Amino acid sequence: MAAAKAKKSSASIPNPFKALPWNVKKEQEREQRRLKTESAKLHRELGIADDSTFEEITEVTQGLIAKAEAEGDIKKKIKVEIAKDRIMQIKLNERLAGMATLTEDAKAQSRLEEADEDDEDLYPQEKAPREFKLPGFLPLIKKPDEAWRNKQIKVFGIMTLICWVLPPMAEKIIMINWLFAAGQVGRRGMSGDIEADFNPYEGKRTKPHQRTAIFLSLLLWISLKVWTGLLGNIKFAFGARYAIVIEATIMNAVLGLFTAYAQTYKGK
């Protein structure tokens, strides 16, 4: 009895060496050989080839089952059904375990695909650079050249100088400076010759890029008007008389910067 208990306890203790890679591989090979032997035996019993497909196995076994039923041999019918289920299970296990043999065509195709993958790894294809598109309003921004920049400094500088020399004119200049900005932005990018851009068949309608320039300039002017109105005591740094002049100076500076970099005309 003591020997039986010792044998039972030793059997319940797992063998740590079974987890070693070479032992695991040997066990897998042993199981593979056992399954192949069992599969070959079942195929012989049913009278079908070892490389038969699922459809062929089903067709043969259905014929054997029908024959057994006609003969009234229930034992033979059950034996065929068990053999069929076992063959199907073995084939499924082989496929899941990757033990099913490939045909020569499949092997050749697999080798070609692996060679192509290796070539791609060694010589990766150069991807075409993605085209970068500026979001939203950013396409309207264009860095000015020296001539255009100097022109804006001259236009808005003269208006600002008039405000400081003649403070009563500041309020009137504030009311029209956005028109100068819209005109400058709408004309930027077009030829310097006004007559060359004139088309008698277009009538007097403004073009889309000019309407965009008017809208942006008016929107910026309204924003500046609201912002400068909230400056409070900063505008009175040079006295109440020059408060409107400081407001005009700030608006002219921002509008000048806007006209220097903005361009709504995209060309024909």
Side-chain angles (χ1 to χ4, degrees):
M1 185 175 179
K5 288 183 179 180
K7 184 177 181 181
K8 184 177 179 181
S9 61
S10 62
S12 62
I13 298 175
N15 185 0
F17 296 103
K18 285 186 177 181
L20 295 174
W22 50 87
N23 288 333
V24 172
K25 185 177 180 181
K26 287 181 180 179
E27 185 63 28
Q28 290 176 348
E29 291 175 352
R30 190 180 299 111
E31 180 65 16
Q32 182 179 355
R33 288 194 298 269
R34 188 187 67 79
L35 289 174
K36 285 185 177 181
T37 302
E38 183 181 359
S39 177
K41 180 181 178 182
L42 293 171
H43 278 79
R44 286 195 301 271
E45 290 178 359
L46 296 177
I48 55 179
D50 291 343
D51 58 350
S52 299
T53 62
F54 285 98
E55 292 77 9
E56 292 172 345
I57 295 171
T58 303
E59 182 180 356
V60 172
T61 53
Q62 284 178 349
L64 293 175
I65 291 172
K67 183 179 179 181
E69 289 177 346
E71 296 175 354
D73 192 345
I74 304 300
K75 185 176 180 181
K76 183 177 180 182
K77 175 187 173 183
I78 295 174
K79 186 177 180 180
V80 171
E81 289 177 345
I82 293 174
K84 172 191 171 184
D85 293 340
R86 184 57 182 161
I87 289 174
M88 294 293 192
Q89 185 63 41
I90 291 173
K91 284 187 173 291
L92 181 61
N93 291 339
E94 287 178 348
R95 288 196 176 185
L96 292 176
M99 294 188 295
T101 56
L102 298 173
T103 63
E104 291 300 322
D105 292 340
K107 290 180 179 179
Q109 182 65 26
S110 178
R111 285 194 292 269
L112 288 174
E113 291 176 357
E114 290 177 358
D116 291 341
E117 291 177 358
D118 293 339
D119 290 341
E120 290 178 359
D121 293 338
L122 292 174
Y123 308 102
Q125 295 180 355
E126 295 183 0
K127 295 182 179 180
R130 295 178 62 183
E131 184 179 355
F132 178 73
K133 294 182 179 180
L134 294 173
F137 63 88
L138 291 180
L140 300 176
I141 299 175
K142 184 177 179 181
K143 186 177 180 180
D145 55 19
E146 184 177 359
W148 182 257
R149 183 180 65 249
N150 292 339
K151 183 177 182 180
Q152 304 317 308
I153 294 174
K154 182 179 179 181
V155 170
F156 290 93
I158 290 175
M159 286 194 293
T160 303
L161 180 62
I162 292 174
C163 293
W164 283 94
V165 174
L166 301 171
M169 293 292 296
E171 188 172 357
K172 295 181 176 59
I173 288 177
I174 286 177
M175 300 304 296
I176 63 172
N177 55 4
W178 72 274
L179 293 172
F180 283 89
Q184 294 288 351
V185 174
R187 287 287 307 166
R188 187 183 182 192
M190 302 176 70
S191 63
D193 188 0
I194 298 178
E195 294 182 358
D197 293 329
F198 175 71
N199 187 342
Y201 299 102
E202 291 183 351
K204 296 183 178 180
R205 292 184 179 181
T206 56
K207 298 177 182 179
H209 73 276
Q210 293 173 329
R211 290 195 292 271
T212 303
I214 293 171
F215 171 76
L216 293 176
S217 300
L218 183 57
L219 181 64
L220 179 59
W221 182 87
I222 293 172
S223 302
L224 288 172
K225 188 65 177 171
V226 173
W227 178 64
T228 53
L230 300 175
L231 290 178
N233 295 331
I234 298 177
K235 295 190 296 183
F236 297 92
F238 295 93
R241 183 184 181 187
Y242 287 94
I244 191 69
V245 176
I246 293 176
E247 183 177 343
T249 302
I250 294 173
M251 294 184 69
N252 286 337
V254 176
L255 288 170
L257 185 66
F258 167 69
T259 57
Y261 282 88
Q263 178 177 330
T264 57
Y265 179 70
K266 299 182 183 301
K268 297 181 179 180

